[in-house]
Amino acid sequence: MKTFANNIRYGQTSLLVALAFAGLTACSSGDDLGPKVASDFSIVAGSDVLTTLDPGVNQSTSNSVSEPGVGLVAYAAGLESLAPRAAAYAGIESGSTVGATQTSGTGTYTGFYGVAIADDVDRGSTFITAQTGQSAGNVTLNANFGDGTLTGTGSSIAGGFTTDITVDGAISGSDVSGTVLVNHQPATPTPGLSAGSVTATLDGLIGADGALGAFHGTDSDTALAGGFAASAP
């Protein structure tokens, strides 16, 4: 049985919090603190991606998508008080088994994707705020092993954000690289919040049995990370 975003909440999941920074003065500038958004790949332990997100503010949001017999991708987004910034991380479970490497022909894979988002990040000398939430949905991927391409699309069916994704990947052996365009907006119209698009960096695996991808990216006020897990018919 395919599984996706096993802790996803239907409807609005966005939160707004303020975080005080120890040691910052009222005259300091938010621009002196470095980038206010960041994202990266990370290691997966169990079904969780390892992060430096601050659990003390109860503002991080995390989840995973998985495909039996193929593997799991985990992702998270939230606030980091030490930086201070909003950040997002994603990774593929070690030991995932996508099947034999394909060098010719084509294949179609179906499954699920999920995204964790920290959006509308605002930071001053003594605070940082963000809207955080998740989105999950169906994804269909088309592989052309002769051309070395992996393309696909997905659209959300659950979460506090409405999303759609476009996968533009390159296949080299069993490895996948490329980008994932993530369009996002709050599932419930919220004053002051708007739609946005982030082009995320993709890293993944593909074989005869399935495809896995982790992705992360930022824009000026957004950090997001996610993944997809899909299998061949």
Side-chain angles (χ1 to χ4, degrees):
M1 178 180 176
K2 302 173 188 288
T3 60
F4 78 100
N6 51 8
N7 296 316
I8 196 76
R9 292 183 235 170
Y10 287 75
Q12 181 67 26
T13 62
S14 297
L15 301 173
L16 177 62
V17 301
L19 175 66
F21 304 145
L24 297 183
T25 64
C27 62
S28 65
S29 168
D31 293 338
D32 298 334
L33 304 175
K36 67 179 181 181
V37 292
S39 66
D40 206 350
F41 294 114
S42 188
I43 297 170
V44 173
S47 60
D48 297 316
V49 64
L50 299 183
T51 76
T52 51
L53 300 177
D54 189 345
V57 295
N58 194 30
Q59 180 64 5
S60 61
T61 182
S62 62
N63 225 314
S64 63
V65 287
S66 63
E67 189 70 23
V70 177
L72 177 145
V73 182
Y75 49 90
L79 297 178
E80 296 177 333
S81 59
L82 293 180
R85 63 188 184 182
Y89 300 91
I92 298 174
E93 179 184 39
S94 177
S96 296
T97 54
V98 293
T101 300
Q102 304 296 289
T103 58
S104 62
T106 61
T108 299
Y109 301 79
T110 58
F112 297 104
Y113 78 92
V115 188
I117 304 172
D119 194 23
D120 291 281
V121 180
D122 185 25
R123 184 178 67 184
S125 59
T126 59
F127 72 91
I128 184 169
T129 62
Q131 294 284 337
T132 64
Q134 298 184 30
S135 181
N138 300 304
V139 66
T140 299
L141 304 168
N142 299 297
N144 187 316
F145 297 103
D147 292 343
T149 60
L150 179 68
T151 59
T153 58
S155 58
S156 61
I157 59 176
F161 283 85
T162 298
T163 59
D164 62 76
I165 67 170
T166 301
V167 178
D168 184 8
I171 300 171
S172 177
S174 61
D175 294 324
V176 175
S177 59
T179 61
V180 177
L181 175 64
V182 182
N183 298 313
H184 61 88
Q185 63 183 10
T188 301
T190 304
L193 299 184
S194 59
S197 296
V198 173
T199 299
T201 301
L202 169 66
D203 184 41
L205 300 169
I206 191 168
D209 297 336
L212 299 170
F215 53 86
H216 68 84
T218 64
D219 64 17
S220 61
D221 66 352
T222 307
L224 62 78
F228 57 78
S231 63

